[in-house]
Amino acid sequence: MASKESQDSPSGSQDYAGHQFSLDGTSVDSPVTANDLLLGAYDPTRLHPLAQLGDQLDYLVLDDDKVSDLPGAGTAIPSRGWSDDLCYGTGTMYLGGLAVGGIWGVNEGARRPLAVSNARLRINSILNSVTRRGTFIGNSAGVLALVYNGVNSSIDSFRGKHDTAGSMAAGALTGALYKATAGVKPAFVAATLISGLAGIWSYVKKSV
């Protein structure tokens, strides 16, 4: 009976007792199980797209950390160029102006006399003053910083160096342009004030 079953097998011999299977001359003694897949038979790191590159990978060289090589540009606050000064300078002055204007608005709203002493009216007065003064100072400081950094970078590029004189000249042009529509005297006062502030700021950056 057993010999008859072995003869009727279409693909060779089958030994169910020894757990060995033979199919067309191919013997499978230790089949791959799920445990083999999970415990190290396959290295998961080889599935990464860069696993087979080895030393053939070419790294990108980025110049983002390269500071400006303009003479005199090496100060306490490193700069990577005119775009760096433009972005960071404008953003810093805008946020600083918002903070100063907000403090001014809180003080003004808290001191403003009201017809009826009411906490809700006082809070409303403070919020109105903060939004009015904060946006005014913030926008004005941001515009001044934007124009100043643009003019200062142009002067430095034209002269080939960065120094206090160039910063003061950029401040004077910025102040005069900012108050140009108010008349000669306000423009002169604004030019003198911003030029002095720019000179002080440039001196402090180099001294620290």
Side-chain angles (χ1 to χ4, degrees), residues 8 18 22-23 28 32-33 43 45 68 79 87 92 110 112-114 137 146 150 153 170 180 187 201 206:
D8 294 339
S22 178
L23 184 62
V28 181
V32 178
T33 63
D43 187 5
T45 59
S68 177
S79 173
C87 295
T92 302
R112 177 179 298 170
L114 299 176
I137 300 297
L146 181 67
S153 299
W201 172 243
K206 290 185 176 182

Side-chain angles (χ1 to χ4, degrees), residues 6 9-29:
S6 62
S9 176
S11 57
S13 63
Q14 296 181 353
D15 186 5
Y16 296 101
H19 299 286
Q20 293 183 355
F21 302 91
S22 178
L23 184 62
D24 295 334
T26 304
S27 177
V28 181
D29 295 333

Side-chain angles (χ1 to χ4, degrees), residues 114-165:
L114 299 176
V116 179
S117 180
N118 189 346
R120 181 175 295 179
L121 293 178
R122 179 62 64 187
I123 294 175
N124 187 39
S125 175
I126 291 175
L127 292 177
N128 289 335
S129 298
V130 167
T131 54
R132 182 171 63 254
R133 301 301 183 184
T135 53
F136 170 71
I137 300 297
N139 292 335
S140 299
V143 169
L144 287 173
L146 181 67
V147 176
Y148 167 77
N149 284 289
V151 174
N152 191 27
S153 299
S154 300
I155 292 176
D156 292 344
S157 177
F158 178 77
R159 300 175 65 217
K161 63 179 180 178
H162 176 77
D163 55 5
T164 304

